[in-house]
Amino acid sequence: MAPRIKVAPLPEDLLSAYLVMTANVVGRFHENEERQDIASPFLDEPFAHVYVGDEEVVDFAFGRARQAQQRWAETPIKTRQQIFRDFHDRVLKNRELLVDIVQMETGKNRLSALDEVLDVVSNARFYANAAPRLLKEKPMPGAIPGLTRSKLQRTPKGVVGQISPWNYPLALGISDAIPALLAGNAVVAKPDSQTPFSLLSVLRLLYESGLPRDLMQVVTGSGRVVGSAIANNCDYLMFTGSTATGRVLGKTAGERLIGFSAELGGKNPLLISADADLDRSIREAISACFSNSGQLCVSIERIYVEEAIYDEFVSRFGTAVNNMRLASGFDWDADMGSLINADQLETVETFVENAKEKGARVLAGGRTRPELGRFFFEPTVLVDVPNDADLYCDEVFGPVVFIEKVANLDEAIAKANDTSYGLNAAVFAESETGWKAAGKLLAGGVGINDGYTATWATVASPLGGMKDSGVARRHGDEGMLKYTEPRNVAEQRGISMRGPASLPRKTYGTLMANAMLWGKKLKFLP
C-alpha cells in the first residue's frame, strides 16, 4: 500500500484565519462557544477549527455590514477600482499559497485548484474595468424630445447575502462578491462548513488591498441556521448549490420580495459529431468529465456519440481514462485528486453500483482507491446504462460519465434536451456543425470543442442555468447590474406632460395621438 501523503501544517496565522478575517464578528463568539473541526482529505486528523455561528451572530454581522455599506456607497468608483486592481495583483502574487489552501481543504488536484485562483483574478479584472461603465449615470431618451430630460441611475441593493459551496470554495467564495462590492454593496457570506479557510485567506488579501473590514462579513455554521438567517436578513441573495436547496431559498426570497440569483444542479451532456476531431475530443472530454474529480455543477455526466464513430471513440476514451494519474498532494502532474469526504464517496459508489445492478458495463474505473487516500474513487466510464438506472437522469456530482450511441446529431440533441436541467452542454464537431447544434441545446452555456472552461472563463458574457438549473446569471454586465436597483429620474421642462392648462382635454388627446403617429414615421420618439 502506498504511504499516506504527509502534509506540513499550515502557518499558524492561516490556521487562525477565521479569527483574523472576522475580527468584527468574533466579538459575538466566546471561548465556550461550539467549535467545528475542519478536516482535510489529505490528513487523518482535523487541522483547524472554526466557531459555529447562529442567528445572533448573523444579526450582528448584518448590523456592522449595513453601517459600513452606507459609507462605502459614497466612496468614489475610482477608489473601489483601485482596491480591486490591487487585489488582482495580490492574488496572483500569492497564488501558490492559495492553491495550497484550496487543495488542503478539498483534496482536489493542483490544476483544478489553480482554476479557482484564475477565476478570481479574471473576475477582479473584468469588474474593476467595467464598473465605471456599468454604474455611471446614463442619459436616456425622454418622453418628449427636448422637453423631458431623463437619466438612469444605479444604486446598490444594500447588503448582499452569499451562500457558497465546498467544491470551489475560493472562486465561488469571493468571485460573486467582487461585483457586489464594486457596485457599492456590503456582503455577509457563509462558506461551506467544510471549506472556510479558502474564502478567509483570499479575503485577507482583499483587506490588505484596502477593503473596509466591516464591509464583508463571514459567518461560519450550518446552512440550516446560518444560511437561513442570511436569507432572512439580506437585500439580495446569491446562492450556488443544489436545486433542492435553491428551491427553499427561492421561496424565502420570493416571500421577502428580494432579488435572488442561483446556480443550481446539472446533468450536463456532451455530443460527439461524426465530423469531430477524435484526438482533441478525447483529450477535452477527459477534462470536461473529471476536472475537480467531477465535483462541479457544469461537469459532463453523459456523452452521446454518433454511430459512425461510436466504437472508436469508446475504445480510445476508455483507454485514455484508464491511463489517468490519480494522486493526493501538491504534485502538478496529478490528473485527478480526491473526493471531498466520506459522504460524497458513498454517493458516487451507490450510483455506480446501482447502474451495474441494472446492467451497465464498466468501461473504465469503477472502484475506490483507499491506498491513495480515504476518499479516492477512480474516474469511471459506463456504457449500456439503462434509463431506469439512477445516474441516467440524476446528477452524480462525481467522476462518473456514461456513453450512449445515437444514430445522428439530431437524436443526440433530443436526448441532451430531455432533462429537467439546463446548465451546461458541449458539442465536439467541425465549427459549422458545432454552431448549428449549439443553437438547439437548452442550456445556459454551450461549449464547442470544449467541455465548460471556455464558457466559464468568458467572464464578459453572462452564464447560468435554464430550467431547474438556476435563475439569473453571474458574469457579464448582468453579473454586476443584478446587485443594483435602477432608478429612473425624469425632469419635465416647459410644457406639462398634460399640455397647457387652457388646452381642452379632447384636443390634448388628438394632439398626442397625432404626435405619436408622426414620432413613429420620423423615428424621433423612443
Side-chain angles (χ1 to χ4, degrees):
M1 180 180 293
R4 181 67 51 79
I5 184 170
K6 302 298 182 183
V7 180
L10 292 174
E12 184 62 30
D13 64 332
L14 288 175
L15 290 181
S16 62
Y18 179 72
L19 298 180
V20 175
M21 291 298 120
T22 58
N24 297 314
V25 177
V26 77
R28 306 300 289 182
F29 290 112
H30 305 285
E31 285 302 315
N32 60 350
E33 292 286 347
E34 181 184 354
R35 298 182 179 189
Q36 177 175 330
D37 288 335
I38 304 300
S40 169
F42 289 166
L43 303 173
D44 293 322
E45 299 293 334
F47 69 92
H49 73 269
V50 294
Y51 292 108
V52 177
D54 57 19
E55 292 91 345
E56 182 182 1
V57 176
V58 172
D59 289 344
F60 186 80
F62 269 92
R64 286 297 185 98
R66 290 198 186 281
Q67 291 180 16
Q69 190 273 328
Q70 293 175 10
R71 297 186 295 271
W72 179 247
E74 300 299 322
T75 302
I77 293 176
K78 185 176 181 180
T79 302
R80 299 180 212 166
Q81 271 188 304
Q82 291 171 345
I83 291 172
F84 281 90
R85 284 173 173 166
D86 182 83
F87 172 66
H88 169 281
D89 296 344
R90 288 179 189 271
V91 171
L92 286 176
K93 182 179 179 181
N94 290 275
R95 64 188 181 278
E96 293 291 341
L97 178 59
L98 292 173
V99 168
D100 286 346
I101 296 169
V102 169
Q103 284 196 272
M104 189 75 170
E105 288 196 309
T106 65
K108 64 178 66 179
N109 68 314
R110 198 159 185 81
L111 186 59
S112 294
L114 177 66
D115 287 345
E116 298 207 43
V117 174
L118 299 179
D119 179 78
V120 173
V121 169
S122 295
N123 278 274
R125 182 179 62 250
F126 175 77
Y127 285 113
N129 291 335
R133 171 178 62 84
L134 295 176
L135 302 177
K136 70 179 180 181
E137 187 176 75
K138 297 179 181 178
M140 304 297 289
I144 301 178
L147 298 179
T148 308
R149 182 188 182 194
S150 178
K151 290 189 177 182
L152 172 64
Q153 299 175 344
R154 293 281 176 179
T155 188
K157 292 278 188 180
V159 181
V160 173
Q162 176 184 287
I163 303 172
S164 55
W166 51 259
N167 61 324
Y168 278 85
L170 181 75
L172 297 178
I174 200 69
S175 290
D176 289 318
I178 288 170
L181 292 165
L182 270 163
N185 298 283
V187 174
V188 175
K190 190 198 89 66
D192 190 89
S193 298
Q194 299 172 88
T195 55
F197 290 108
S198 294
L199 168 57
L200 294 171
S201 299
V202 75
L203 182 55
R204 183 174 70 174
L205 298 179
L206 188 50
Y207 286 149
E208 291 174 356
S209 293
L211 189 79
R213 277 184 172 260
D214 284 356
L215 197 64
M216 184 164 180
Q217 301 283 330
V218 177
V219 183
T220 51
S222 73
R224 182 179 58 84
V225 176
V226 174
S228 296
I230 288 175
N232 281 301
N233 278 274
C234 66
D235 303 310
Y236 187 94
L237 182 59
M238 177 69 216
F239 171 72
T240 305
S242 71
T243 297
T245 303
R247 293 185 193 279
V248 174
L249 293 172
K251 182 179 180 180
T252 299
E255 289 175 345
R256 296 189 59 231
L257 299 179
I258 63 169
F260 178 50
S261 181
E263 184 192 281
L264 307 175
K267 187 67 178 178
N268 308 300
L270 187 156
L271 288 57
I272 309 286
S273 171
D275 63 4
D277 179 333
L278 276 187
D279 289 336
R280 179 175 182 179
S281 298
I282 290 165
R283 181 176 68 252
E284 296 295 338
I286 286 176
S287 175
C289 299
F290 304 119
S291 291
N292 209 50
S293 304
Q295 299 171 122
L296 63 164
C297 296
V298 293
S299 179
I300 295 298
E301 293 197 5
R302 48 198 178 114
I303 301 176
Y304 300 107
V305 185
E306 284 201 82
E307 187 173 13
I309 59 169
Y310 177 82
D311 290 338
E312 182 180 1
F313 177 84
V314 165
S315 174
R316 293 178 60 186
F317 186 65
T319 299
V321 172
N322 276 322
N323 289 334
M324 288 177 64
R325 181 174 181 265
L326 279 62
S328 56
F330 305 107
D331 185 351
W332 281 101
D333 293 332
D335 295 319
M336 198 182 88
S338 173
L339 296 176
I340 182 73
N341 57 31
D343 288 343
Q344 197 68 12
L345 178 64
E346 182 181 1
T347 296
V348 173
E349 274 192 287
T350 300
F351 269 112
V352 172
E353 290 305 311
N354 172 266
K356 288 164 62 178
E357 290 170 4
K358 296 290 179 67
R361 180 164 55 92
V362 177
L363 185 67
R367 301 177 302 156
T368 59
R369 295 291 298 274
E371 75 277 12
L372 297 176
R374 291 176 295 163
F375 312 132
F376 269 81
F377 195 89
E378 292 177 330
T380 299
V381 182
L382 302 171
V383 293
D384 302 326
V385 176
N387 57 16
D388 63 341
D390 291 341
L391 64 73
Y392 192 81
C393 294
D394 295 341
E395 183 180 31
V396 178
F397 213 70
V400 179
V401 65
F402 70 82
I403 309 175
E404 186 171 329
K405 183 192 299 184
V406 292
N408 50 52
L409 209 54
D410 286 338
E411 183 185 358
I413 293 169
K415 286 181 175 292
N417 290 337
D418 187 19
T419 175
S420 61
Y421 294 113
L423 185 57
N424 178 54
V427 53
F428 289 4
E430 289 288 343
S431 180
E432 184 177 353
T433 304
W435 281 98
K436 287 181 179 178
K440 300 176 183 179
L441 291 167
L442 301 179
V446 180
I448 299 175
N449 295 320
D450 180 87
Y452 65 86
T453 53
T455 51
W456 184 271
T458 305
V459 294
S461 184
L463 186 66
M466 297 181 182
K467 299 187 279 187
D468 290 353
S469 288
V471 293
R473 295 292 186 268
R474 60 163 53 95
H475 295 171
D477 292 358
E478 184 177 339
M480 174 174 280
L481 294 180
K482 69 183 180 182
Y483 295 123
T484 68
E485 294 283 7
R487 180 164 52 217
N488 178 348
V489 181
E491 175 191 5
Q492 186 63 23
R493 299 178 290 186
I495 300 175
S496 166
M497 284 292 296
R498 293 298 185 183
S502 60
L503 186 69
R505 293 182 178 180
K506 183 175 181 180
T507 304
Y508 167 80
T510 301
L511 289 173
M512 289 299 293
N514 289 332
M516 292 291 184
L517 288 172
W518 280 105
K520 176 185 176 183
K521 291 179 180 179
L522 300 177
K523 300 180 180 179
F524 63 80
L525 287 179

